[in-house]
Every structure is written in C-alpha cells, then in structure tokens.
Amino acid sequence: MKYTFKTILFTTLAFFLLTTIVAQEKFMLPEYTKVQLKNGLTVYLMEQHEVPLIQLIGVFPGGAIFDKKDKSGLANSTATALALGSKNYTKAQIEQNVEFLGASLSTGASLEYAYISSSFMKKDQKEILAIVKDVLLNPIFPKDELDKMMSRRLVEMDQRKESPRAVLGDYYSKFVFGDHPYGNPENGIKSNLEAITKEDIVTFYKEMYDPKTSAIAVVGDFDTKSMKKEIESLFGKWNSEGSPAINLSEVPKNNESRVLVVNKDNATETTFYIGGPGIARNNPDYVGVEVINTILGGRFTSWLNDELRVNSGLTYGARSSFSHYKLGGSFIISTFTANETTEQTIDLALETYGRLHKKGLDQETLLSAKNYVKGQFPPNYETNATLANLLTDMYVYNFDESYINTFNTQVDELTVDKANILIEKYFPKDHLQFVLIGKASEIGEMAKKYGEVKLVEITADGF
C-alpha cells in the first residue's frame, strides 16, 4: 500500500482528534454490587458482557508485613503453597484441570496482602470456582511439594542477587523503613526461608486467612443475582478462628541524607535509587501527585528521561515513581549507568529533580501532562482483570469509586499554583536517601558526598 503525505497527515490528525476526545470524556466506573456475607467476607460483583470471560481476584491479610523477624518470607511461601494441593485436588490435578479449560489460577503475596487470581471462560465457571474454593478453603500443604517449592525459592534467592534491579527495591525498603513492617522483603531472606516448616505455614494460614478481613471481586460475563448465590454457596460457610491484626506504627522519617552502597565486585554499572517519603494510596491529592510525577519521570518524554537518556546518553532510561501503601509510601528516582559515570549521573538526576522545587511548573508543561494522563487513564481499566484489581484495591486501601468517577475533574482542576503547592508538600526536598548497587571500590568514596555511607556486600544474607 502506498502512503502519500496527505494520507499520513490525515491519519495523524485523526489520531490526535481521537486522543483529544478520549481525554475529554468523563470516564465512569461501571456499576457493581457490593455485599457482605454473614461470615464477614466482602464480595464485589461487576457484570461485563463484551466477551464470555470471568475474572476472580481474592485478597487476604497475609502479606509480608505480617512476617515475623525470624520468619521472613513466610507470608509469600504460604500464599504460593495454597496451590500445591487441596483436599479434593492434587497439585497436578489443579494444573491439568485449569490448563485443559484454558483458564489461569495463581496465588501469591505482596507487601500488604495475599491474593488468589483466576481467569476463565463463562462456560467453565462451575469447574473453576470449585477449584478456587478448594485451593483457598482446603489447602493441605503436602510436605513433598513444600520441600520442592522451598528448594526452588532458595535457588531463586541466589539468582535474584545476580541482578541488581531484581533486589534494589528490597535494599531500598529495608534501608528507608528499617524495622518497620514496610521494610520486610516480600520474598523473604534466605536464612529464614531455610528454617520455615510446614507447621509454620499451616499456622500462618489459620491465623491470616479470615473471611472477616478478606474480599473477593468477580468481574465478567455473568448474572449478578446468580453469581452472588454461587459465591455465597461456595464461600458462605468459610469460617476462621484467626485474628489477623497488626499494629502498624507511623512510617519512620529520616532526618539526614544517607547512602547505602551494596558492593557487587563484578559490576560494570551502578544501579541506584534516590528517594524519600511518599503518600498513602487513599491520599486525596493522589491524582495531582501522579500528574506532576508524569512530568518529572513518569513517561518517556519526562524531564529525567530527557536529561539522563536523550540529552546526555548516560543511561538507557530514567524514571521516578511513588510506591503507595496504607499508611504512606516512598518516592523514588531510579536509573543505572556505567561505573565511571555514576557521579555524573547522580548529580544530573539531582539537578533535574531540583527544577521542581526551584522553578516549579509552567502552564504549557502542566497542560501537556494533564492531556497525557487523561488519555492514558481509560485503557488502564479496560479488562476484567484490571477492574477486579481496582475493586480489591479499593477494599485494601480504603478508597472508593470517586477516584475513577472524578479523575478527569481532578486533573482539570489542577492549576499551576496548586501543582507547585503539591510539589512542596509531597516531593521530598531534603534528607534524601540513596541506595547504590555497584562496585564499591569505584563508587564508595564518591558516595560520601551525598551523605553518611553504609557499606554491605550483596553476597551477604538479607538486605
């Protein structure tokens, strides 16, 4: 097919017009039903009939924040072990039945919660839901499968340390949050994993997986009344004597700039985070902060990527982001560079970040980010899986559908003056924290210019 200049111009203009229209439309969360069963389980049901697919996601208070100091990794191990076998299905039967139906089923744990997720065809609803129920309510944690799982996890722990980007987040969280539960590594610590027993996993399951503090979201091609009846039939008799509670203290604040250098002798490049405190997921200024971060490091044409990649060629990519938890979070600038350009890259990252506080934003820059964010927003919630994730996030992090329904309005109402106020309030200016993974003999002395330095070996156990 031959493309003329007019054809290309027309296509470009059409795409621009479509993007503008999408950005200006008010995106609303589809209708859903929220019920609480007699046993306390919260259930979200949202019908979506475009395709004959259904997505189920369940969340439970079994995340890494509940790990005890000498049992790091127990939460993630327990969540993963749910699918190793149940009262009515062996591990092989679970995998074979799910695969035969072209469905998916996975379990795991993040920092603040554990989860089970399954996607399946409408016609296979009863078969898959029966498996989901048995995996969640009747796990047997067979010793032989547990031993194999734990052996794999121990090998994976060593493999992860070979990739700085795979473990940088764990080092950063531990360095910033210390003994606070937010500093717990989601995958655990090798020496602790070696000591975890079947009894530990059984006890953790009984204590943490409680319907009163759990939620299940089902999104897809079904009738709400019928699905509610089936979910109630499957999970309504689920009861637990557990009491999953944890007293989360305030997130610690650092009163001085500090540097953690993680020595990796064979490193030819330095991978690093620079950051500070962030905000909770339900913070009312969440949307405004995300718009501002888009400018700084949240898209390919961001300030950080432009300066560190495009203009200077110091890295293949640089970004900034916020990690959001229930009580707070963290702000992070992240990138990597060759050993010999580490100092230059850090200095340029700090200089670029400093523009936020020294110069603030102007109208043209803010308008560009607002249009970009509004255009990118609706596709984030197009699938059953993303909608089910949203519903369970609403449960875990205590926010509601106003986040979706007022998103465009919140973006539109963000003025330059308000944006500059949010920068001063939420983007940390002083006492920044640095975590660098690289060759200490080449970057250790240089790192002292950014704060008090602590040196650890990447080969050492833990973070």
Side-chain angles (χ1 to χ4, degrees):
M1 182 177 180
K2 187 177 181 180
Y3 294 94
T4 65
F5 175 75
K6 287 185 177 180
T7 302
I8 296 172
L9 180 61
F10 176 78
T11 304
T12 303
L13 290 173
F15 176 78
F16 176 77
L17 180 60
L18 178 62
T19 304
T20 303
I21 292 172
V22 170
Q24 290 176 348
E25 287 180 354
K26 186 176 182 182
F27 183 73
M28 302 289 289
L29 184 66
E31 290 186 7
Y32 67 93
T33 298
K34 178 182 178 182
V35 297
Q36 189 170 50
L37 305 187
K38 291 181 180 180
N39 61 357
L41 178 66
T42 299
V43 179
Y44 297 88
L45 302 172
M46 179 187 288
E47 295 183 29
Q48 293 286 285
H49 299 288
E50 289 81 2
V51 291
L53 291 172
I54 298 174
Q55 176 75 48
L56 178 145
I57 295 179
V59 291
F60 324 98
I65 58 172
F66 292 96
D67 281 341
K68 296 179 175 60
K69 286 186 178 181
D70 61 341
K71 301 294 180 182
S72 177
L74 178 56
N76 202 300
S77 298
T78 302
T80 304
L82 289 174
L84 296 181
S86 61
K87 180 180 178 181
N88 297 298
Y89 302 92
T90 64
K91 177 177 179 288
Q93 288 173 331
I94 292 171
E95 293 172 347
Q96 289 168 5
N97 290 351
V98 170
E99 184 177 350
F100 178 75
L101 296 173
S104 67
L105 189 150
S106 61
T107 61
S110 64
L111 183 64
E112 294 187 290
Y113 62 87
Y115 67 86
I116 186 168
S117 176
S118 182
S119 176
F120 48 92
M121 295 287 289
K122 176 182 180 179
K123 65 181 180 62
D124 302 320
Q125 173 180 318
K126 289 191 177 297
E127 291 89 337
I128 294 297
L129 287 181
I131 295 174
V132 170
K133 175 209 171 180
D134 215 50
V135 165
L136 179 57
L137 272 59
N138 303 310
I140 60 173
F141 306 115
K143 180 74 165 52
D144 58 335
E145 294 293 350
L146 278 177
D147 289 344
K148 287 187 283 187
M149 181 193 79
M150 297 306 288
S151 294
R152 288 193 300 270
R153 292 174 73 85
L154 291 172
V155 172
E156 290 167 357
M157 293 294 288
D158 290 333
Q159 293 174 336
R160 292 182 74 242
K161 290 253 185 168
E162 289 299 315
S163 173
R165 282 169 235 178
V167 293
L168 181 56
D170 290 325
Y171 280 106
Y172 182 81
S173 293
K174 189 63 180 176
F175 189 58
V176 171
F177 295 117
D179 292 332
H180 190 279
Y182 284 171
N184 293 352
E186 293 179 15
N187 291 289
I189 296 172
K190 186 176 180 181
S191 59
N192 286 180
L193 287 176
E194 291 173 329
I196 291 175
T197 65
K198 175 177 177 176
E199 289 69 29
D200 293 327
I201 288 176
V202 170
T203 299
F204 188 86
Y205 169 78
K206 290 179 178 178
E207 290 177 349
M208 293 296 129
Y209 288 72
D210 185 342
K212 296 187 294 295
T213 49
S214 302
I216 289 177
V218 188
V219 178
D221 191 12
F222 58 81
D223 172 73
T224 295
K225 185 177 180 180
S226 299
M227 181 61 77
K228 177 179 178 295
K229 184 176 180 181
E230 184 158 8
I231 293 295
E232 195 164 15
S233 172
L234 290 167
F235 300 100
K237 294 181 181 180
W238 174 24
N239 287 299
S240 170
E241 298 178 0
S243 54
I246 184 171
N247 183 20
L248 280 178
S249 58
E250 288 297 314
V251 176
K253 295 182 179 179
N254 295 292
N255 297 318
E256 59 180 355
S257 293
R258 302 179 304 147
V259 185
L260 176 67
V261 174
V262 183
N263 180 43
K264 190 174 188 296
D265 279 332
N266 62 350
T268 59
E269 63 182 24
T270 303
T271 308
F272 63 84
Y273 278 0
I274 304 171
I279 63 174
R281 177 60 184 83
N282 64 353
N283 188 300
D285 292 320
Y286 173 88
V287 173
V289 169
E290 287 296 300
V291 174
I292 297 167
N293 185 65
T294 296
I295 297 167
L296 175 65
R299 61 179 175 178
F300 186 79
T301 57
S302 67
W303 289 358
L304 286 168
N305 204 55
D306 272 352
E307 292 297 336
L308 274 67
R309 172 182 168 148
V310 180
N311 297 339
S312 66
L314 291 169
T315 180
Y316 286 113
R319 66 190 304 267
S320 61
S321 60
F322 281 84
S323 296
H324 305 284
Y325 306 132
K326 291 181 181 179
L327 294 184
S330 59
F331 164 74
I332 296 167
I333 294 171
S334 59
T335 190
F336 58 94
T337 191
N339 290 352
E340 60 270 20
T341 55
T342 298
E343 182 176 5
Q344 181 185 357
T345 305
I346 293 175
D347 286 346
L348 184 55
L350 292 173
E351 179 185 340
T352 304
Y353 176 50
R355 285 166 53 188
L356 271 183
H357 291 282
K358 292 177 181 178
K359 297 183 178 180
L361 302 181
D362 57 50
Q363 183 63 39
E364 182 180 356
T365 302
L366 181 60
L367 180 60
S368 171
K370 289 164 69 171
N371 286 336
Y372 175 86
V373 167
K374 288 195 294 183
Q376 292 292 309
F377 187 69
N380 290 334
Y381 301 100
E382 285 184 331
T383 67
N384 293 344
T386 52
L387 287 168
N389 266 315
L390 173 64
L391 293 172
T392 51
D393 278 353
M394 286 164 53
Y395 175 83
V396 171
Y397 296 112
N398 191 32
F399 65 96
D400 58 29
E401 60 269 19
S402 63
Y403 162 66
I404 294 284
N405 297 343
T406 67
F407 183 86
N408 275 8
T409 300
Q410 291 185 66
V411 173
D412 288 336
E413 292 178 349
L414 183 63
T415 63
V416 169
D417 287 342
K418 183 176 180 181
N420 289 330
I421 291 173
L422 296 183
I423 289 170
E424 290 299 316
K425 186 174 182 179
Y426 296 118
F427 287 77
K429 187 176 183 179
D430 303 311
H431 312 313
L432 294 175
Q433 307 298 297
F434 300 74
V435 176
L436 291 66
I437 300 182
K439 194 170 185 177
S441 62
E442 297 186 17
I443 64 173
E445 189 65 28
M446 171 276 301
K448 293 179 181 179
K449 68 182 285 187
Y450 304 109
E452 181 181 351
V453 174
K454 177 183 179 181
L455 175 66
V456 298
E457 296 292 330
I458 199 167
T459 53
D461 189 38
F463 303 98

